[in-house]
PDB file of all heavy atoms in Angstrom:
ATOM      1  N   THR A  86     129.171  65.056 111.518  1.00 97.00           N
ATOM      2  CA  THR A  86     129.325  66.071 110.407  1.00 97.00           C
ATOM      3  C   THR A  86     129.674  65.540 109.043  1.00 97.00           C
ATOM      4  O   THR A  86     130.609  64.662 109.109  1.00 97.00           O
ATOM      5  CB  THR A  86     130.403  67.176 110.781  1.00 97.00           C
ATOM      6  OG1 THR A  86     130.375  67.374 112.241  1.00 97.00           O
ATOM      7  CG2 THR A  86     130.189  68.520 110.146  1.00 97.00           C
ATOM      8  N   ILE A  87     128.971  65.811 108.052  1.00 96.00           N
ATOM      9  CA  ILE A  87     129.236  65.258 106.730  1.00 96.00           C
ATOM     10  C   ILE A  87     129.587  66.363 105.808  1.00 96.00           C
ATOM     11  O   ILE A  87     128.689  67.362 105.605  1.00 96.00           O
ATOM     12  CB  ILE A  87     128.125  64.451 106.213  1.00 96.00           C
ATOM     13  CG1 ILE A  87     127.851  63.229 107.166  1.00 96.00           C
ATOM     14  CG2 ILE A  87     128.343  63.967 104.768  1.00 96.00           C
ATOM     15  CD1 ILE A  87     126.468  62.620 107.029  1.00 96.00           C
ATOM     16  N   THR A  88     130.718  66.374 105.221  1.00 94.00           N
ATOM     17  CA  THR A  88     131.143  67.385 104.215  1.00 94.00           C
ATOM     18  C   THR A  88     131.020  66.799 102.889  1.00 94.00           C
ATOM     19  O   THR A  88     131.727  65.750 102.568  1.00 94.00           O
ATOM     20  CB  THR A  88     132.554  67.903 104.493  1.00 94.00           C
ATOM     21  OG1 THR A  88     132.636  68.168 105.923  1.00 94.00           O
ATOM     22  CG2 THR A  88     132.809  69.262 103.785  1.00 94.00           C
ATOM     23  N   LYS A  89     130.123  67.363 102.029  1.00 84.00           N
ATOM     24  CA  LYS A  89     129.853  66.704 100.760  1.00 84.00           C
ATOM     25  C   LYS A  89     131.183  66.956  99.796  1.00 84.00           C
ATOM     26  O   LYS A  89     131.918  67.898 100.015  1.00 84.00           O
ATOM     27  CB  LYS A  89     128.694  67.252 100.076  1.00 84.00           C
ATOM     28  CG  LYS A  89     127.355  67.062 100.782  1.00 84.00           C
ATOM     29  CD  LYS A  89     126.565  66.007 100.048  1.00 84.00           C
ATOM     30  CE  LYS A  89     125.162  65.777 100.566  1.00 84.00           C
ATOM     31  NZ  LYS A  89     125.033  65.276 101.929  1.00 84.00           N
ATOM     32  N   ARG A  90     131.330  65.942  98.959  1.00 74.00           N
ATOM     33  CA  ARG A  90     132.417  66.111  98.096  1.00 74.00           C
ATOM     34  C   ARG A  90     131.988  66.829  96.827  1.00 74.00           C
ATOM     35  O   ARG A  90     130.836  66.669  96.388  1.00 74.00           O
ATOM     36  CB  ARG A  90     132.772  64.578  97.618  1.00 74.00           C
ATOM     37  CG  ARG A  90     133.898  64.497  96.677  1.00 74.00           C
ATOM     38  CD  ARG A  90     134.281  62.932  96.682  1.00 74.00           C
ATOM     39  NE  ARG A  90     135.231  62.647  95.711  1.00 74.00           N
ATOM     40  CZ  ARG A  90     134.970  61.992  94.581  1.00 74.00           C
ATOM     41  NH1 ARG A  90     133.724  61.718  94.367  1.00 74.00           N
ATOM     42  NH2 ARG A  90     135.978  61.809  93.685  1.00 74.00           N
ATOM     43  N   LYS A  91     132.938  67.614  96.365  1.00 65.00           N
ATOM     44  CA  LYS A  91     132.575  68.358  95.146  1.00 65.00           C
ATOM     45  C   LYS A  91     132.485  67.451  94.022  1.00 65.00           C
ATOM     46  O   LYS A  91     133.354  66.616  93.711  1.00 65.00           O
ATOM     47  CB  LYS A  91     133.650  69.415  94.863  1.00 65.00           C
ATOM     48  CG  LYS A  91     133.553  70.654  95.749  1.00 65.00           C
ATOM     49  CD  LYS A  91     134.403  71.821  95.302  1.00 65.00           C
ATOM     50  CE  LYS A  91     134.476  72.836  96.293  1.00 65.00           C
ATOM     51  NZ  LYS A  91     135.717  72.872  97.091  1.00 65.00           N
ATOM     52  N   LYS A  92     131.473  67.469  93.222  1.00 59.00           N
ATOM     53  CA  LYS A  92     131.277  66.654  92.011  1.00 59.00           C
ATOM     54  C   LYS A  92     132.110  67.176  90.920  1.00 59.00           C
ATOM     55  O   LYS A  92     132.216  68.398  90.576  1.00 59.00           O
ATOM     56  CB  LYS A  92     129.819  66.631  91.578  1.00 59.00           C
ATOM     57  CG  LYS A  92     128.992  65.732  92.456  1.00 59.00           C
ATOM     58  CD  LYS A  92     127.535  65.821  92.061  1.00 59.00           C
ATOM     59  CE  LYS A  92     126.741  65.238  93.178  1.00 59.00           C
ATOM     60  NZ  LYS A  92     125.466  65.953  93.323  1.00 59.00           N
ATOM     61  N   MET A  93     132.929  66.272  90.308  1.00 56.00           N
ATOM     62  CA  MET A  93     133.794  66.672  89.278  1.00 56.00           C
ATOM     63  C   MET A  93     133.174  66.419  87.901  1.00 56.00           C
ATOM     64  O   MET A  93     132.972  65.252  87.648  1.00 56.00           O
ATOM     65  CB  MET A  93     135.208  66.029  89.473  1.00 56.00           C
ATOM     66  CG  MET A  93     135.700  66.393  90.885  1.00 56.00           C
ATOM     67  SD  MET A  93     137.448  66.212  91.028  1.00 56.00           S
ATOM     68  CE  MET A  93     137.605  64.616  91.792  1.00 56.00           C
ATOM     69  N   GLY A  94     133.098  67.455  87.102  1.00 49.00           N
ATOM     70  CA  GLY A  94     132.415  67.373  85.771  1.00 49.00           C
ATOM     71  C   GLY A  94     131.114  66.684  85.878  1.00 49.00           C
ATOM     72  O   GLY A  94     130.312  66.986  86.769  1.00 49.00           O
ATOM     73  N   ILE A  95     130.839  65.752  84.925  1.00 46.00           N
ATOM     74  CA  ILE A  95     129.487  65.141  84.931  1.00 46.00           C
ATOM     75  C   ILE A  95     129.573  63.722  85.639  1.00 46.00           C
ATOM     76  O   ILE A  95     128.521  63.106  85.957  1.00 46.00           O
ATOM     77  CB  ILE A  95     128.976  64.964  83.502  1.00 46.00           C
ATOM     78  CG1 ILE A  95     130.030  64.274  82.664  1.00 46.00           C
ATOM     79  CG2 ILE A  95     128.533  66.281  82.972  1.00 46.00           C
ATOM     80  CD1 ILE A  95     129.375  63.688  81.388  1.00 46.00           C
ATOM     81  N   MET A  96     130.847  63.343  86.055  1.00 45.00           N
ATOM     82  CA  MET A  96     130.958  62.081  86.696  1.00 45.00           C
ATOM     83  C   MET A  96     130.548  62.236  88.136  1.00 45.00           C
ATOM     84  O   MET A  96     130.895  63.072  88.811  1.00 45.00           O
ATOM     85  CB  MET A  96     132.443  61.688  86.711  1.00 45.00           C
ATOM     86  CG  MET A  96     133.111  61.290  85.385  1.00 45.00           C
ATOM     87  SD  MET A  96     132.563  59.671  84.888  1.00 45.00           S
ATOM     88  CE  MET A  96     133.573  58.654  85.911  1.00 45.00           C
ATOM     89  N   LYS A  97     129.678  61.258  88.511  1.00 48.00           N
ATOM     90  CA  LYS A  97     129.237  61.303  89.897  1.00 48.00           C
ATOM     91  C   LYS A  97     129.667  59.973  90.540  1.00 48.00           C
ATOM     92  O   LYS A  97     128.996  58.938  90.338  1.00 48.00           O
ATOM     93  CB  LYS A  97     127.707  61.422  89.988  1.00 48.00           C
ATOM     94  CG  LYS A  97     127.188  61.643  91.382  1.00 48.00           C
ATOM     95  CD  LYS A  97     125.647  61.674  91.424  1.00 48.00           C
ATOM     96  CE  LYS A  97     125.269  61.624  92.896  1.00 48.00           C
ATOM     97  NZ  LYS A  97     125.444  60.315  93.537  1.00 48.00           N
ATOM     98  N   ALA A  98     130.683  60.062  91.240  1.00 53.00           N
ATOM     99  CA  ALA A  98     131.237  58.798  91.952  1.00 53.00           C
ATOM    100  C   ALA A  98     130.508  58.768  93.346  1.00 53.00           C
ATOM    101  O   ALA A  98     130.227  59.813  93.993  1.00 53.00           O
ATOM    102  CB  ALA A  98     132.665  58.884  92.203  1.00 53.00           C
ATOM    103  N   ASP A  99     130.160  57.500  93.760  1.00 77.00           N
ATOM    104  CA  ASP A  99     129.607  57.405  95.092  1.00 77.00           C
ATOM    105  C   ASP A  99     130.712  57.456  96.143  1.00 77.00           C
ATOM    106  O   ASP A  99     131.849  57.106  95.822  1.00 77.00           O
ATOM    107  CB  ASP A  99     128.870  56.046  95.194  1.00 77.00           C
ATOM    108  CG  ASP A  99     127.528  56.059  94.469  1.00 77.00           C
ATOM    109  OD1 ASP A  99     126.946  57.139  94.438  1.00 77.00           O
ATOM    110  OD2 ASP A  99     127.149  55.074  93.995  1.00 77.00           O
TER     111      ASP A  99
END
Side-chain angles (χ1 to χ4, degrees):
Chain A
T86 322
I87 299 163
T88 315
K89 294 254 192 297
R90 180 167 172 256
K91 286 196 189 97
K92 284 177 194 142
M93 300 203 264
I95 49 161
M96 290 282 286
K97 186 186 169 292
D99 284 331

